[in-house]
Amino acid sequence: MGRDLSALFDPVSVAVVGASDDPAKYGHAISAQALRANGRRPVHLVNRRGGTVLGRTAAPSLSALGEPVDLAVVSVPAAGFEDAVDEALGCGARAIVAITAGFAETGDAGRARQQAVAERVRAAGAVMVGPNCLGLADNTTDLFLASDTFTPGGIALLSQSGNLALELQLRFRPHGLGFSRFVSLGNQADVTLVDLLADCARHEGTHAIAVYAEDFADGRSFAEAAADAGKPVVLLTAGRGDASARSAQSHTGALTTSADVVGAACRDAGVELVATPRELTVVLAALNGARRSAGRRVAILTDGGGHGVIAADAVEAAGLTVPELGRPTRDDLREILWEQSAVANPVDLAGMGEQDPGSYAGTVSALLAAEEVDAVLMTGYFGGYADADGGLGGGGTVLADGERAAARLIADRHRATAKPLVVQSMYPGSPSCRTLAEAGIPVFDATEDAARALAATTSGAPYPGVTPLPPPATPLRESGYLQTRRALEAAGLPFPAAREVHDETELLAVAAEFSGPYVLKALHLLHKSDAGGVALGLAGPDELLASFREMRARLGASSYSVEAMADLTDGIELIVGVNRDPRFGPVAMVGLGGVLAESLHDVAFTLAPVTAERALDLLRGLRTAALLDGVRGRPPVDLTAAAAAIETITAFAAAHPEIAETEVNPLLVRPHGALALDSRAVLA
């Protein structure tokens, strides 16, 4: 169910502690905003000097009000913060918005103070946003406790940046977007991003949730809450280019970055991940309606070849396709367009729009009706005929009237279908484009934005979700090669036969136990292959003994593993690793493995544990996936066995929180079965 945040967003009464007449103080801006909704609920202003603030009598303290306060905004100097919070709780406050700064962001001492206050708030059964936040607003309940006014709409913004909210306010305006709620997250001492996300998911006035986060205290819970939201969640985050906090003791650690981890969590949870405020706006504009594309096939309509080709490149770069239209659709278009028009895809009116703007409407209608089309992108000049400030129409010509009529027809066709239609126009603010926008058709001035918008409408396809963590298993005490291998074998992962040896007598005894060829591995080395601690294909006892003597003389290792050599001739080597991220928990990596894993870098990421079904999707999505199906006469490998092994490895790693990194490399996948040839674990 989640925490009850009703007192934060629809309190019975509000008090601003630290209200001020000084425009330089935040308590002034908050007070002015709070008073905008004075008719909805009582709003009290508190200033320790009393007097008046903004022409209203200010109480010297909350206690002096003589009545309970449901929500208190605390904007006082840090030295008086604890006393102000305690007084608010004593006056019955169920919610506190803590503007005051100077806590966890200043170091350990500030963090300790912050934690102590949060504990007092929770003990009183209240909730607190902040400290070090910029307030909140809820347009659906007329609650204005931030320094700025936000245009009403359906988007909830949960942000670690106040300035970003102001930028989005400006970017939203041309697209008719607005805010249901705004919350400045602050230090999240009590109410967290996850709490707010879950509450906004339940909020009827919120249709999409935008998040700006610079860090994730509990990234896995964020992913779980987003996956369960039931409405679009779009994330803008910073710092994804930095390497995550990791050990470099495995290929998995060396290959995993913070960007990989965040990207994996977003894919699993169905979150749209964006890189800039502009892209955030584009995606929200595309997701503002309920339209989602059933597939990735896009038809492009233009009245100029250049715009069509550029749009086709942008659409494909966004991960969509521009297929050739089927003959029935091309025949329908031939009935509408003139002879020189191109009808394969992109569809180019080839100047017909200048003679008959209505041809745009007829063409859009035919494309939206085509079975082989999932979405339509109209690009180029449309909008210019009726634009009085630079277009051909001049505001009152026959062409302008025709274009405005075509825009109304396009809007009608759009309402009659569930398929997405997106428009790129050189004149996005023209009357015709405004007609389209008012009908829920996103209009952009940049081709790449239109393509990104369409890509966002395709991501409503089922996403894997976040698989729950298994109960913790009995912790590993040692993480040597053989100890790790035995633990994985016990979990159900197959390995070749192996025995540990320390001297020549034990070596020869093992050689008599099972036949060659053999593999000899020196134990207790970090990267055995790089150190020359692995010998492959030792045909019989003599070669095994010679290799043992050479390796022991060179490396001085005290123990070795003698293993049955697997047949590598018709197999593919994979790498399966799990890195335990401090924010998102265990993160799995699957890809092409062996000694070239880091060089090839053909890997995919997802939160662990990984189901066999999800593992198959990851394998199919690799750049080199064709190798798994067999090339140049090689047989296809057993993907079902590979997926089962991935499930076993990742479930094992997820059940052992004491392990920082787990890796099986290579996992040999053959036409029949999969076999782990090497493994490694690093204790946290």
Side-chain angles (χ1 to χ4, degrees):
M1 177 61 186
R3 300 181 70 184
D4 179 9
L5 303 185
S6 57
L8 267 180
F9 293 110
D10 194 11
V12 176
S13 61
V14 169
V16 181
V17 182
S20 174
D21 260 334
D22 183 352
K25 293 185 177 179
Y26 206 76
H28 174 84
I30 290 274
S31 299
Q33 289 292 328
L35 291 173
R36 288 176 48 223
N38 196 28
R40 176 75 181 241
R41 60 182 63 81
V43 175
H44 307 287
L45 304 184
V46 177
N47 183 294
R48 60 188 177 87
R49 295 186 180 88
T52 61
V53 173
L54 296 171
R56 291 178 45 136
T57 301
S61 67
L62 282 172
S63 303
L65 292 173
E67 60 181 273
V69 171
D70 206 22
L71 183 153
V73 181
V74 179
S75 182
V76 301
F81 178 72
E82 284 91 342
D83 289 343
V85 170
D86 287 342
E87 185 180 27
L89 296 174
C91 291
R94 294 188 299 141
I96 292 171
V97 177
I99 307 297
T100 304
F103 295 94
E105 75 276 14
T106 65
D108 291 341
R111 185 174 294 105
R113 283 182 65 197
Q114 174 180 297
Q115 183 175 347
V117 172
E119 288 172 355
R120 294 209 290 277
V121 169
R122 285 192 286 268
V127 296
M128 178 176 71
V129 169
N132 187 33
C133 81
L134 298 176
L136 59 81
D138 188 325
N139 281 323
T140 68
T141 62
D142 296 331
L143 182 72
F144 311 120
L145 303 177
S147 62
D148 295 280
T149 302
F150 295 96
T151 303
I155 294 166
L157 174 62
L158 312 176
S159 177
Q160 285 184 285
S161 167
N163 279 348
L164 179 70
L166 302 183
E167 178 177 351
L168 291 176
Q169 169 92 317
L170 298 174
R171 290 187 175 275
F172 281 8
R173 196 168 293 150
H175 299 284
L177 301 176
F179 298 88
S180 57
R181 290 172 167 177
F182 161 70
V183 183
S184 169
L185 298 174
N187 292 357
Q188 302 180 66
D190 177 42
V191 174
T192 66
L193 168 60
V194 174
D195 295 328
L196 292 163
L197 178 59
D199 194 79
C200 289
R202 297 188 295 267
H203 183 227
E204 289 185 4
T206 294
H207 307 305
I209 303 166
V211 178
Y212 173 69
E214 294 164 1
D215 54 58
F216 298 89
D218 188 347
R220 194 176 190 96
S221 292
F222 166 77
E224 291 169 344
D228 293 339
K231 55 186 67 171
V233 178
V234 187
L235 171 66
L236 170 61
T237 186
R240 287 186 287 133
D242 296 332
S244 63
R246 64 171 189 248
S247 162
Q249 299 187 65
S250 69
H251 292 296
T252 303
L255 285 167
T256 307
T257 69
S258 179
D260 296 323
V261 174
V262 175
C266 288
R267 283 189 296 275
D268 289 354
V271 172
E272 280 285 338
L273 181 60
V274 298
T276 64
R278 169 176 155 179
E279 187 184 1
L280 178 68
T281 304
V282 167
V283 169
L284 287 168
L287 299 178
N288 190 41
R291 293 173 186 269
R292 299 295 181 267
S293 175
R296 311 187 79 80
R297 302 168 299 175
V298 177
I300 294 171
L301 166 61
T302 180
D303 196 15
H307 272 110
V309 173
I310 291 169
D313 284 347
V315 165
E316 291 182 342
L320 308 175
T321 64
V322 186
E324 185 174 0
L325 298 175
R327 179 163 296 280
T329 302
R330 297 201 305 271
D331 290 344
D332 289 345
L333 291 171
R334 284 281 174 225
E335 294 291 325
I336 301 168
L337 305 177
W338 58 18
E339 185 177 351
Q340 59 265 45
S341 301
V343 295
N345 198 17
V347 176
D348 183 2
L349 302 187
M352 187 175 180
E354 295 180 15
Q355 304 294 320
D356 176 16
S359 59
Y360 282 101
T363 305
V364 166
S365 181
L367 293 176
L368 287 173
E371 291 185 6
E372 69 272 32
V373 172
D374 298 310
V376 176
L377 192 160
M378 185 167 75
T379 180
Y381 193 81
F382 189 87
Y385 304 112
D387 187 83
D389 300 319
L392 290 176
T397 66
V398 172
L399 280 178
D401 293 339
E403 184 187 74
R404 285 192 286 265
R408 292 191 292 271
L409 282 173
I410 291 171
D412 289 341
R413 300 292 188 274
H414 179 254
R415 293 186 187 99
T417 180
K419 293 180 181 179
L421 167 64
V422 169
V423 173
Q424 180 273 327
S425 173
M426 298 157 63
Y427 301 91
S430 70
S432 300
C433 287
R434 286 200 299 272
T435 296
L436 299 179
E438 288 165 2
I441 300 170
V443 179
F444 304 97
D445 60 359
T447 307
E448 60 271 27
D449 290 347
R452 178 65 181 92
L454 279 183
T457 70
T458 69
S459 55
Y463 46 85
V466 180
T467 305
L469 293 174
T474 303
L476 287 185
R477 301 299 180 191
E478 297 181 75
S479 61
Y481 165 64
L482 289 177
Q483 290 91 343
T484 302
R485 175 189 160 120
R486 290 178 192 127
L488 284 164
E489 280 185 299
L493 186 67
F495 282 83
R499 301 290 183 271
E500 184 176 8
V501 302
H502 303 85
D503 55 36
E504 294 184 10
T505 301
E506 293 178 353
L507 182 91
L508 293 174
V510 170
E513 187 178 338
F514 54 84
S515 60
Y518 303 101
V519 175
L520 180 66
K521 298 178 181 178
L523 300 181
H524 313 297
L525 296 179
L526 191 57
H527 291 294
K528 294 184 287 292
S529 296
D530 295 346
V534 178
L536 303 175
L538 305 173
D542 292 342
E543 285 190 26
L544 178 61
L545 181 60
S547 183
F548 175 78
R549 288 171 174 170
E550 185 277 331
M551 197 178 290
R552 186 168 59 175
R554 178 166 46 84
L555 299 176
S558 61
S559 61
Y560 298 80
S561 177
V562 178
E563 304 178 6
M565 176 78 181
D567 183 0
L568 306 178
T569 55
D570 56 0
I572 297 290
E573 293 185 344
L574 300 179
I575 181 172
V576 182
V578 178
N579 203 41
R580 190 166 287 272
D581 185 85
R583 306 154 302 161
F584 289 88
V587 180
M589 183 188 78
V590 176
L592 216 63
V595 296
L596 298 178
E598 288 184 38
S599 300
L600 294 172
H601 209 295
D602 186 15
V603 292
F605 298 89
T606 188
L607 299 185
V610 182
T611 64
E613 182 181 11
R614 175 67 173 143
L616 279 173
D617 290 339
L618 295 175
L619 292 171
R620 289 292 186 197
L622 296 174
R623 295 194 312 273
T624 50
L627 294 176
L628 303 173
D629 294 323
V631 294
R632 294 184 175 269
R634 292 170 63 93
V637 299
D638 189 346
L639 289 181
T640 300
I646 292 167
E647 183 176 275
T648 298
I649 296 163
T650 59
F652 168 83
H656 284 275
E658 78 280 5
I659 300 179
E661 297 174 20
T662 308
E663 182 176 287
V664 172
N665 181 35
L667 174 69
L668 178 68
V669 188
R670 302 185 61 211
H672 302 287
L675 202 59
L677 303 186
D678 199 21
S679 62
R680 178 181 293 112
V682 179
L683 295 180

